[in-house]
Amino acid sequence: MNPTSSLVRSNACQAAFVFLCLGLLRANGAQAPASMISIWPGKPPGTESWTQQEEWYGDAMDGAVQGLHVRNTTTPGLSVYAAPRQIANGTAVIVAPGGGFTSEAWEKEGTLLAEWLQTKGVTSFVLKYRLTPQSAGGATARGGPTTLQIPGASPSQQTALTAMEQSVATLSATVTAARAELTRASLTNPDDLAGRRAKAEALGSAEQALASARAEAFAKLQAGTDKLGSDLVQALVRAQSGGTRGGAAGRGAAATTTAAGNTNESSIRAFAVADGQQAMRYVRSHAAEWGVDPTKLGFIGFSAGGYIALKLAVEHDAQTRPDFVGSVYGCCMGDEVEAPVDAPSLFLASAMNDAISFGVHTGLVKAWKAVNKPVEIHMYATGGHGFGMAKRGLPHDTWPERLGDWLRNQKLIGPDRKSTRLNSSHLGISYAVFCLKK
């Protein structure tokens, strides 16, 4: 028997066993991590007085259901998804879920990607970072919006906020229903291409209407220059962008809330970025314990987590610089970004009808090209904000495969043992892919 052929068959069997085990784990449903590694020695700096109770909530991923979430985090940490020894390649990734800086979509934008990366021989660390404290008057246990009461608001301001909140909530419900219809059609009648295309278009229209309503509400409130008006803007965005959809985050997300101090927008984002930086330091300094290469450590984030990833890409030192970065509909960076001369290679994925990340990602392409650093962007025609790892029968379902192609081209993972590329042409919906490389 050819020893090489025997080795190939053995590795293939081992990889198949890994895939099977991961599938069985997924079938058992979502639950809070059994263990979490604290990344700070003692309480994290700046929030030593926080006393809110961490809360895990949500259902297992099932169609349009958004999966496990966490909020009110006070102890940043990492949940480790070690690559199986037989296929481990030394590459490691820190994964930061999104959630508008008020929660983290732990499953849809965290553990599902970590499990997928395991099958590629990559060890992953899902990051739990500090979030805006939530009190009894904030989001419900399932992340849904409630009527907001802003201390100091005049009756007319509170009435205006409530009306805008209800309008956006209605459109959010329409989007959720349209997404569920598309998922149902994909599962029950996959051969009805015209029907699925129509439902995909309906979902795109609903998401565009929701994005327009949010933008209009934001503009109306932002027109005021008083501090209270700014708080109203941010509260609206927090409730409607960071509420029912795990990864959504507007430009004003992570607003001032009613819990402990140090909860203004800039502070929360700074804490989250500091946690990302500390996670980089911690994994690098403990790389040998997990058998990973400290020079092959990347950072991938979704929405608010994408903001953390992108901030690390542009502002870093030797210990906190990721060797590669991925942003999936990253938010909040603004349209004008200046890339550093040592910018890491960058992977971007988002949708054309995502008003939150579109300008961010197109601006990043220009910035990376200006310093002649490799950047790859996948801009899908539809999908909106927050698709994560959920499968909806749309072309963006294959973005993880495009990430795999990119990692392979960067020599961070080896050849696939078998093709996992999905055929996205069956829907007849086009999407654009732009690759600008060094």
Side-chain angles (χ1 to χ4, degrees):
M1 178 182 293
N2 186 328
T4 303
S5 299
S6 176
L7 178 60
V8 169
R9 280 196 295 273
S10 174
N11 287 342
C13 289
Q14 290 165 348
F17 177 74
V18 170
F19 302 153
L20 175 61
C21 289
L22 292 176
L24 291 174
L25 288 173
R26 295 289 317 117
N28 288 332
Q31 53 185 321
S35 62
M36 186 80 64
I37 299 172
S38 295
I39 56 177
W40 292 100
K43 292 185 177 182
T47 56
E48 294 88 347
S49 63
W50 280 11
T51 59
Q52 62 270 24
Q53 187 67 38
E54 183 176 290
E55 180 184 0
W56 295 83
Y57 62 93
D59 300 316
M61 291 290 293
D62 181 15
V65 178
Q66 298 303 298
L68 184 70
H69 286 65
V70 63
R71 66 174 182 172
N72 277 338
T73 56
T74 58
T75 307
L78 296 168
S79 186
V80 184
Y81 287 73
R85 181 175 53 83
Q86 299 89 339
I87 61 173
N89 51 37
T91 297
V93 172
I94 296 171
V95 179
F101 298 100
T102 62
S103 68
E104 285 187 56
W106 190 258
E107 188 175 10
K108 186 182 70 169
E109 298 176 349
T111 61
L112 289 181
L113 177 60
E115 291 169 358
W116 182 87
L117 287 166
Q118 279 181 303
T119 69
K120 309 300 178 185
V122 176
T123 292
S124 298
F125 304 82
V126 183
L127 174 64
K128 184 182 68 168
Y129 52 90
R130 281 171 286 180
L131 303 163
T132 305
Q134 303 291 293
S135 63
T140 64
R142 290 185 182 273
T146 59
T147 300
L148 294 166
Q149 300 293 327
I150 306 299
S154 67
S156 61
Q157 286 175 314
Q158 184 64 57
T159 298
L161 173 64
T162 301
M164 282 187 243
E165 182 186 7
Q166 291 173 346
S167 173
V168 176
T170 299
L171 289 169
S172 295
T174 301
V175 169
T176 299
R179 186 181 299 114
E181 283 293 315
L182 177 58
T183 301
R184 189 177 300 110
S186 300
L187 294 174
T188 60
N189 198 3
D191 295 329
D192 182 9
L193 303 184
R196 292 168 66 189
R197 188 179 302 116
K199 292 186 185 300
E201 292 171 352
L203 174 59
S205 298
E207 289 177 328
Q208 189 60 53
L210 176 59
S212 298
R214 285 175 176 159
E216 181 181 0
F218 193 92
K220 284 182 179 179
L221 290 174
Q222 201 172 35
T225 57
D226 61 302
K227 177 64 167 63
L228 180 59
S230 175
D231 286 348
L232 289 171
V233 172
Q234 296 177 20
L236 176 68
V237 175
R238 186 189 78 248
Q240 304 303 345
S241 292
T244 57
R245 297 179 62 187
R251 290 181 185 276
T256 300
T257 57
T258 57
N262 292 335
T263 58
N264 61 74
E265 175 187 359
S266 60
S267 293
I268 293 296
R269 292 186 184 180
F271 294 148
V273 172
D275 293 340
Q277 293 170 333
Q278 181 65 10
M280 290 293 299
R281 297 187 192 100
Y282 188 93
V283 174
R284 276 218 166 97
S285 63
H286 293 80
E289 298 175 22
W290 294 297
V292 300
D293 185 341
T295 67
K296 294 169 62 179
L297 174 60
F299 200 108
I300 299 176
F302 298 77
S303 193
Y307 171 80
I308 300 173
L310 294 171
K311 288 292 284 185
L312 266 60
V314 299
E315 299 174 8
H316 52 251
D317 58 25
Q319 280 299 304
T320 61
R321 177 187 179 275
D323 296 299
F324 56 96
V325 168
S327 169
V328 185
Y329 44 83
C331 79
C332 315
M333 288 291 287
D335 299 345
E336 299 295 330
V337 178
E338 184 174 342
V341 293
D342 64 342
S345 57
L346 181 62
F347 174 91
L348 304 168
S350 58
M352 292 280 289
N353 63 343
D354 178 6
I356 294 171
S357 68
F358 179 79
V360 173
H361 280 187
T362 54
L364 288 164
V365 171
K366 296 177 183 177
W368 254 244
K369 189 62 176 175
V371 294
N372 197 29
K373 293 297 181 180
V375 55
E376 179 165 315
I377 181 169
H378 295 260
M379 190 70 72
Y380 297 91
T382 59
H385 192 84
F387 47 81
M389 295 291 288
K391 300 300 183 184
R392 288 163 46 186
L394 291 172
H396 67 62
D397 287 355
T398 66
W399 80 262
E401 280 66 52
R402 306 293 75 75
L403 174 64
D405 293 339
W406 179 76
L407 290 171
R408 200 168 292 112
N409 188 56
Q410 301 286 319
K411 302 188 186 309
L412 294 166
I413 65 175
D416 238 347
R417 301 185 191 285
K418 67 174 184 176
S419 175
T420 55
R421 183 183 294 271
L422 303 179
N423 182 4
S424 60
S425 63
H426 62 284
L427 285 177
I429 301 174
S430 63
Y431 61 91
V433 178
F434 305 93
C435 296
L436 298 173
K437 296 185 178 179
K438 187 173 177 181

